[in-house]
Amino acid sequence: MVKYFKKWLRLSKRFPFVHVRNRTRASLIVVEDLSQTCDTPAEKFLYEQLQANLYYPTPHYWINGVRINLALVPFKLALIETSPGIDEKRIVRLLKKQRWRVVFYDAKLLLQNEHIYFEQVLQYAPTHAKNVSTSI
């Protein structure tokens, strides 16, 4: 009986002392080729890199009034291009309330060093081992 409650409850030192864990899964999204909707070359390049590694990003995804350049919806990972005048702390705070993780990328740096941001994506959205069955 205790194991059952441990799975759903979490104890903390601050008030409220007992938290109920939410076990909701991320929403699913229809897979389509949306590479034509990418605006910048860096966005298009990152889209193609993710798609080549079997991730299916959604360009121009909106959450709470925040435009996400590329979103990996099943992993709740937002890839946002940095630009002057963008309030990164506000965006992180808004998306954190919805349990999203945010990776900001610089377009010039992305085009120069191709793999720097993809490693961050792998950290937040790991690839799963495929179930390969050999049935004859």
Side-chain angles (χ1 to χ4, degrees), residues 3-106:
K3 287 182 181 180
Y4 176 78
F5 287 118
K6 273 188 173 180
K7 190 180 352 177
W8 296 101
L9 297 177
R10 181 175 56 95
L11 301 175
S12 69
K13 294 180 181 179
R14 289 196 240 165
F15 183 80
F17 301 107
V18 178
H19 299 279
V20 178
R21 292 183 180 167
N22 291 336
R23 298 256 179 192
T24 58
R25 295 195 59 170
S27 60
L28 298 176
I29 199 142
V30 177
V31 176
E32 297 176 9
D33 185 24
L34 300 171
S35 61
Q36 304 87 5
T37 60
C38 297
D39 294 335
T40 63
E43 189 176 321
K44 189 170 182 97
F45 175 76
L46 193 57
Y47 182 90
E48 291 170 357
Q49 281 282 91
L50 290 170
Q51 202 168 28
N53 288 295
L54 300 178
Y55 290 105
Y56 298 101
T58 305
H60 311 298
Y61 196 74
W62 287 88
I63 299 174
N64 288 352
V66 176
R67 181 179 178 263
I68 299 173
N69 293 59
L70 290 172
L72 293 173
V73 177
F75 298 104
K76 288 195 171 186
L77 179 64
L79 299 163
I80 300 175
E81 186 175 341
T82 58
S83 61
I86 190 170
D87 190 6
E88 293 181 5
K89 289 182 182 179
R90 179 185 150 271
I91 292 172
V92 169
R93 187 179 67 241
L94 286 172
L95 294 180
K96 198 172 185 180
K97 286 181 183 178
Q98 301 293 322
R99 297 193 174 155
W100 280 71
R101 291 183 224 123
V102 182
V103 175
F104 291 98
Y105 66 92
D106 185 21

